[in-house]
Amino acid sequence: MNLVTVKSSHSQADLVVLKSRLEAEGIECVMKNELTAQVINYVPAFVVELQVYEDNVSRAREIMAETGDSIQNGRKVICPECGSEKIKLKLSMVKRVKLYSAIFLALFLFSNVPWDKAFKTPQLRCGQCDHEFYS
């Protein structure tokens, strides 16, 4: 049996209520990319998809229509200015700062630089044998 995406979102929280409702009706659901979105939740490029088996798609869509959840199959986002379908998600300045701060912090914490010496004394290199050492 193949899985079919019935709804997708950049936030896992948007899909949890619908998943609970579908499972209460006896429809088995799978959330694709769930763990990736949990670990890297500040990068909106990761989309969580709520999937059901092909046999249950029509019933799932009926339930979604009853609850008012939008069905996103076949829906394309088009630029209102030029009509292009090549749409990218733009990060706000706050999200960019969070992303770059997290990357810098990870590099800072997990690098092999001896931080106790790195900021106190300069690292030196021998011009003859290229040996690096601290003074």
Side-chain angles (χ1 to χ4, degrees), residues 7-88:
K7 187 171 180 184
S8 61
S9 175
H10 293 289
S11 173
Q12 176 189 355
D14 295 341
L15 304 176
V16 171
V17 174
L18 178 60
K19 180 182 179 194
S20 297
R21 170 66 196 245
L22 293 175
E23 287 177 343
E25 295 288 332
I27 298 173
E28 188 176 345
C29 301
V30 176
M31 290 182 85
K32 183 178 178 183
N33 300 328
E34 177 181 17
L35 296 176
T36 305
Q38 285 177 356
V39 173
I40 310 175
N41 62 355
Y42 49 84
V43 179
F46 294 106
V47 176
V48 182
E49 299 176 8
L50 182 63
Q51 298 180 330
V52 297
Y53 289 104
E54 286 177 324
D55 304 350
N56 300 325
V57 171
S58 60
R59 179 67 183 133
R61 289 185 179 161
E62 289 173 8
I63 293 169
M64 290 173 68
E66 289 173 9
T67 60
D69 283 303
S70 64
I71 302 170
Q72 296 177 349
N73 286 348
R75 181 174 171 236
K76 294 183 180 178
V77 178
I78 300 172
C79 175
E81 184 71 25
C82 67
S84 173
E85 294 179 3
K86 295 181 181 178
I87 306 298
K88 296 180 181 178

Side-chain angles (χ1 to χ4, degrees), residues 90-103:
K90 183 179 177 184
L91 290 175
S92 68
M93 183 58 76
V94 173
K95 289 188 178 184
R96 281 189 214 164
V97 168
K98 286 181 181 179
L99 175 63
Y100 294 137
S101 299
I103 291 170

Side-chain angles (χ1 to χ4, degrees), residues 123-133:
Q123 187 173 5
L124 305 173
R125 177 183 295 201
C126 176
Q128 186 171 350
C129 67
D130 281 339
H131 174 72
E132 294 180 359
F133 59 97

